[in-house]
Amino acid sequence: MTHPDSGRPGRSRAYWLEHALRTAGGPVRSGVLVETGADGRITAVTEDTPAPPPGAEPLRGLTLPGLANAHSHAFHRALRGVVQADRGTFWTWREVMYQVAGRLDPDSYLALARAVYAEMALAGITAVGEFHYLHHAPGGTRYDDPNAMGEALIEAAAQAGVRITLLDTAYLSSGFGEPPTGAQLRFSDGDAEAWAARASLLKERDHVTLGAAVHSVRAVPAGQLAQVARWAEERGAPLHVHLSEQPAENEACLAAHGRTPARLLADHGVLGPRTTGVHNTHLTDEDIALIGGSGTGTCMCPTTERDLADGVGPAPALQRAGSPLSLGSDSHAVIDLFEEARALELDERLRTRVRGHWSAGALLRAAGADGHAALGRPEAGTLAPGAPADWTTVALDTVRTAGPPPERGAETAVFAATAADVRHTVCAGRHVVRDGAHTLVPEPARELATAVAHLRTGRA
């Protein structure tokens, strides 16, 4: 049943949190009253409130700052359960992905992305970084609105009640010196100047932050990298890039330019504190020093990296070098930021046969505050006055989470909970998920099934 207040913006609210982790790495507090304003920000936080005051909505469980999914390709959600049926590599997976990309239009993209973002809200995600390169109609024909596909994503996020950083992506070639072909024609604006002209038509809104992306060093010619970086710099916008996800890309870059992708990006002004490298998997020691020394972030996507057999990136070394870590669900083989955080630690344990590379608090910071910062929202990821009123509540009484005391809530969330344990998600002060049900998208599972079936068969 939809609550009568569900989804109504522009009013003050009060919530009583049974247990709360106000910042990643901080102590768990019990009985926390959070008040929010009409602008969707926190106006006051009062600790040591033993019971819900009149008018305050109680949230039972452990409340955390909302999670940030720093790397998403919404249309990849249609591949779940399909690309796992056969053997292959990243490159064979990519061919199946291109088939799905070729079938989308603005209406079907809106329907799919709305359901995908609703799934994210159900998983406690309040902000998504959408790495968007599906710009044009099949064959590369421009829509009447050249940003029709990006606008579909923006509207989908609004309808699902989450924030979006639209990382409008330059994708101009199919390889080093090769023009785009097939489905890639939909991705390309021709050159960086045309990409910038189209991207500049997009407008920020309350729930929208605009950013840029270089798809990869193989997809943007070296001579045009600086223009994409300059566009982001002039706007103070986040800039993301797929970096060294595959050894084959590194080898091709060395053959074409005599340097690694990280060095090529550094030489063209792409690296820096507003930039996030996605994956950063196959790096040399010099690459790690370049990334960390420039303050470039690293977004790890463990569930996708293992699904595609990409490998385990050097996250501890990157962080020690100065690269902040964030997390993303990327291809959406799984949408569960607790699993991404857990996998970051557990994959490293398998690689090194050593436990305890990150504390639960540090992993929640990657899934929260540092992810929000990578998406151009550095004020998010905390429960404090002035911060966005974005949080999620994890049940502590399910078969997965029951047992540990509340003060071990961070460890319970990271190492025991799943997305299925999320009971509430609040974004901009609005109760988007209540008692495990989405208040704005009544049947997200049905919508997902319908949208994916439409892409598979061409029929609703």
Side-chain angles (χ1 to χ4, degrees):
M1 177 179 177
T2 300
H3 189 276
D5 183 45
S6 295
R8 284 178 51 198
R11 64 181 298 269
S12 300
R13 297 174 176 84
Y15 296 89
W16 179 83
L17 315 180
E18 183 182 25
H19 307 290
L21 191 64
R22 294 183 58 186
T23 58
V28 174
R29 303 295 189 186
S30 296
V32 177
L33 179 67
V34 180
E35 298 172 72
T36 71
D39 62 352
R41 291 184 176 270
I42 296 172
T43 57
V45 179
T46 306
E47 296 185 354
D48 300 319
T49 305
E57 184 159 7
L59 304 182
R60 304 283 177 181
L62 175 71
T63 297
L64 315 164
L67 305 178
N69 189 350
H71 189 66
S72 163
H73 303 290
F75 75 94
H76 289 189
R77 174 61 177 81
L79 303 173
R80 186 186 297 179
V82 175
V83 291
Q84 287 82 14
D86 299 304
R87 295 169 61 87
T89 66
F90 167 87
W91 306 102
T92 56
W93 169 90
R94 189 175 73 158
E95 292 307 313
V96 180
M97 180 268 286
Y98 283 163
Q99 294 172 22
V100 173
R103 299 184 187 121
L104 284 159
D105 60 29
D107 290 338
S108 60
Y109 208 7
L110 171 58
L112 176 62
R114 164 185 151 104
V116 172
Y117 296 155
E119 183 182 357
M120 291 185 192
L122 288 164
I125 293 163
T126 57
V128 57
E130 185 63 37
F131 200 100
H132 168 54
Y133 55 83
L134 189 51
H135 300 304
H136 307 298
T141 302
R142 273 45 174 175
Y143 290 108
D144 291 340
D145 175 356
N147 286 303
M149 296 294 270
E151 291 292 344
L153 293 165
I154 287 170
E155 178 60 21
Q159 292 186 19
V162 300
R163 304 181 191 272
I164 184 171
T165 295
L166 189 72
L167 298 160
D168 197 283
T169 303
Y171 193 130
L172 309 173
S173 60
S174 65
F176 296 94
E178 298 295 328
T181 60
Q184 296 169 340
L185 294 169
R186 300 194 69 174
F187 310 160
S188 178
D189 290 293
D191 57 33
E193 183 176 356
W195 166 83
R198 180 189 50 72
S200 296
L201 298 174
L202 290 160
K203 304 298 182 186
E204 291 201 348
R205 277 142 271 187
D206 286 345
H207 75 297
V208 181
T209 297
L210 297 179
V214 170
H215 179 273
S216 57
V217 292
R218 69 177 185 274
V220 177
Q224 299 183 56
L225 290 168
Q227 183 160 359
V228 181
R230 189 161 54 248
W231 186 95
E233 182 179 7
E234 289 170 353
R235 291 159 177 78
L239 175 63
H240 288 214
V241 54
H242 289 135
L243 178 54
S244 290
E245 181 178 5
Q246 288 290 323
E249 180 181 282
N250 290 356
E251 294 160 7
C253 188
L254 285 165
H257 298 290
R259 65 198 83 177
T260 66
R263 169 52 73 183
L264 185 68
L265 293 172
D267 290 348
H268 289 275
V270 176
L271 300 186
R274 282 196 321 278
T275 301
T276 297
V278 181
H279 303 302
N280 291 0
T281 307
H282 302 282
L283 302 174
T284 66
D285 290 344
E286 182 190 17
D287 292 339
I288 293 170
L290 283 171
I291 293 166
S294 63
T296 300
T298 294
C299 179
M300 291 292 186
C301 306
T303 65
T304 291
E305 288 151 6
R306 70 191 184 198
D307 183 55
L308 298 180
D310 284 343
V312 178
L318 283 160
Q319 190 170 52
R320 286 194 299 270
S323 181
L325 300 181
S326 56
L327 296 166
S329 62
D330 192 0
S331 69
H332 311 316
V334 175
I335 294 179
D336 186 337
L337 264 290
F338 300 119
E339 174 62 21
E340 302 293 348
R342 176 162 56 242
L344 188 65
E345 167 68 23
L346 299 186
D347 287 356
E348 192 62 24
R349 291 182 186 184
L350 285 175
R351 192 181 70 83
T352 63
R353 292 180 290 174
V354 174
R355 301 175 76 233
H357 299 274
W358 293 277
S359 67
L363 293 169
L364 286 175
R365 182 174 181 84
D370 284 349
H372 290 292
L375 298 180
R377 299 180 183 275
E379 74 282 7
T382 182
L383 302 181
D390 301 351
W391 59 77
T392 186
T393 304
V394 179
L396 297 179
D397 58 357
T398 73
V399 292
R400 290 169 293 277
T401 61
E407 57 266 28
R408 289 299 178 194
E411 290 77 10
T412 303
V414 171
F415 293 107
T418 72
D421 298 308
V422 170
R423 288 295 174 265
H424 306 282
T425 300
V426 171
C427 188
R430 293 184 293 165
H431 214 146
V432 176
V433 173
R434 176 182 274 107
D435 296 322
H438 203 291
T439 63
L440 306 177
V441 182
E443 298 183 72
R446 180 185 59 79
E447 291 195 17
L448 280 165
T450 300
V452 172
H454 175 71
L455 291 176
R456 188 170 60 248
T457 65
R459 297 188 301 273

